[in-house]
Amino acid sequence: MRRTMLCSLFVAASAWCGAGAFAETIDLGLPEGYSAEVAAKGLSNPSGVTFSPSGTLTICDSADGRVLTLESGELKEYITGFPTEYWKVDAESGAKRFKLGPLSAVWLDGETLAVTNAGLLDGEETVVFFKGPGKVDAGEATNSVPPTSDDPADKGEGNLTGLTASKDGKTIYVAGQGADAKTWVLKVDVADKKLSTLFSADENEIAINSPMATALWGDDAILALYSGAGGKDDGLIVEWNLESGKPTKQWTVPGLLDPMGFAVIPGTKKLAVVDNNWALTEVKPGKLAIVTLPEESGAAEVEVLTDKLLGPVACTFGPDGKLYIAQLGKEFDKNEGSVIAVSGLK
């Protein structure tokens, strides 16, 4: 495949990104003890970030239908040719907005990368497995999940995002939005490449929908982050028990309008959460917060570190302990996106 250097970037000076690199610091108005820098830029609707076992930053450059890696300070195409679609069309003007392709990825080992093929129609999306760089057609795909109810608004599971691999690498957890009012957390059985539904908010009397991200939580549970309705303070974090398939605890996240990404802060029981503050017509200032979950269900403790991010969508911690945040930039559907690395979360 074509392996093209896209641009020279400023990156964090660390072993995994190559010696001699420089960091472009940015002012996000963070409290004392925190700092931020640009890890990658010139991206188009970046929607997922993950690291390989060797520490290579891997980015879902969604609108351009490709997955990129950052190697020795250079962005390189890793998987290309993903189909893309526009998420919304303006009913009055017919303008197409917010182009989507691969939304999330996770490494299972040093050579196996799983990516959501999310630029297809709802009910047709899959998770695709790759053993090395190449075109999307070279990957091995799961099945798709068609409508799961008789509701005509249920078009099947789509906008697959928020991939998390189990500790043994045998299962991948997936956030699926499908119809906004009927959504699932799904799972992939890695051995047989089977995608199936797992947890339903509706069937468990949880009114908030639109799961965006998943995270391992202890030995027998995962957390799912629900963004809720756009522009409303109704985000929710749910603890799901993997054995019973039931929600065990729920926490609201006061002050966060559209939380879309989260990651467990290493060595703690606290979460780093990014709030996109979603609007279809423009990118609005977004937040980064530290969220502490009480022992019992209720309102989480939310400490906002900054409200100067530009459409943050997803985040993950790197091997250097920094939080890497994919953000849309000043405008979506343009090459305005970037990945920001924030130091100091602990």
Side-chain angles (χ1 to χ4, degrees):
M1 65 170 280
R2 182 169 60 93
R3 301 268 297 181
T4 305
M5 182 182 79
L6 302 181
C7 55
S8 296
L9 303 167
F10 297 104
V11 293
S14 58
W16 56 266
C17 69
F22 297 92
E24 177 188 355
T25 60
I26 55 173
D27 182 11
L28 294 178
L30 293 162
E32 184 177 355
Y34 298 90
S35 61
E37 59 201 29
V38 178
K41 58 185 178 182
L43 305 170
S44 187
N45 296 357
S47 300
V49 281
T50 189
F51 280 88
S52 72
S54 63
T56 299
L57 177 61
T58 306
I59 305 166
C60 291
D61 195 31
S62 185
D64 283 339
R66 59 190 176 182
V67 175
L68 308 175
T69 56
L70 184 63
E71 303 175 37
S72 300
E74 299 176 2
L75 277 176
K76 297 183 178 180
E77 292 182 330
Y78 190 75
I79 306 294
T80 61
F82 283 93
T84 59
E85 66 169 347
Y86 284 95
W87 184 55
K88 290 288 186 180
V89 176
D90 188 294
E92 295 183 2
S93 69
K96 295 180 179 180
R97 296 195 181 103
F98 206 67
K99 196 175 186 182
L100 300 178
L103 290 181
S104 183
V106 66
W107 288 90
L108 298 178
D109 52 47
E111 65 173 12
T112 308
L113 179 68
V115 186
T116 62
N117 195 355
L120 301 171
L121 297 176
D122 289 352
E124 297 180 8
E125 294 182 19
T126 61
V127 177
V128 188
F129 294 79
F130 301 93
K131 290 293 187 180
K135 295 286 187 180
V136 65
D137 293 343
E140 184 179 358
T142 67
N143 57 289
S144 56
V145 175
T148 57
S149 73
D150 294 330
D151 188 333
D154 184 357
K155 305 299 183 183
E157 286 307 299
N159 292 341
L160 302 180
T161 187
L163 296 188
T164 299
S166 62
K167 292 179 181 179
D168 60 12
K170 295 180 179 180
T171 305
I172 299 174
Y173 302 105
V174 187
Q177 292 185 46
D180 285 346
K182 290 187 177 295
T183 57
W184 288 85
V185 173
L186 305 98
K187 69 173 182 178
V188 177
D189 185 301
V190 173
D192 62 12
K193 305 297 185 294
K194 181 181 179 181
L195 177 66
S196 60
T197 55
L198 185 60
F199 305 133
S200 167
D202 307 278
E203 291 180 3
N204 288 277
E205 299 181 347
I206 297 174
I208 305 304
N209 266 281
S210 294
M212 296 296 300
T214 61
L216 302 181
W217 194 245
D219 295 327
D220 58 359
I222 66 167
L223 297 179
L225 177 65
Y226 293 78
S227 64
K232 290 184 63 178
D233 188 356
D234 62 351
L236 191 69
I237 297 173
V238 178
E239 178 186 77
W240 291 94
N241 184 276
L242 292 171
E243 293 184 5
S244 68
K246 295 295 183 180
T248 50
K249 298 176 185 177
Q250 303 176 40
W251 300 273
T252 59
V253 282
L256 302 183
L257 295 180
D258 298 291
M260 290 192 178
F262 68 170
V264 179
I265 299 175
T268 78
K269 296 290 282 185
K270 297 185 289 187
L271 305 171
V273 180
V274 292
D275 175 12
N276 181 271
N277 193 15
W278 171 250
L280 185 57
T281 56
E282 62 180 332
V283 176
K284 299 170 71 174
K287 298 175 181 177
L288 166 63
I290 294 177
V291 172
T292 303
L293 304 178
E295 283 297 320
E296 301 301 326
S297 298
E301 177 186 329
V302 178
E303 178 190 359
V304 175
L305 300 181
T306 180
D307 59 2
K308 295 183 179 180
L309 292 171
L310 296 174
V313 177
C315 62
T316 191
F317 280 94
D320 53 6
K322 299 174 183 177
L323 180 71
Y324 287 77
I325 303 170
Q327 62 174 12
L328 301 175
K330 294 180 180 179
E331 294 182 77
F332 51 71
D333 297 332
K334 303 282 182 67
N335 292 324
E336 298 279 355
S338 63
V339 175
I340 304 298
V342 177
S343 302
L345 282 85
K346 57 186 179 180

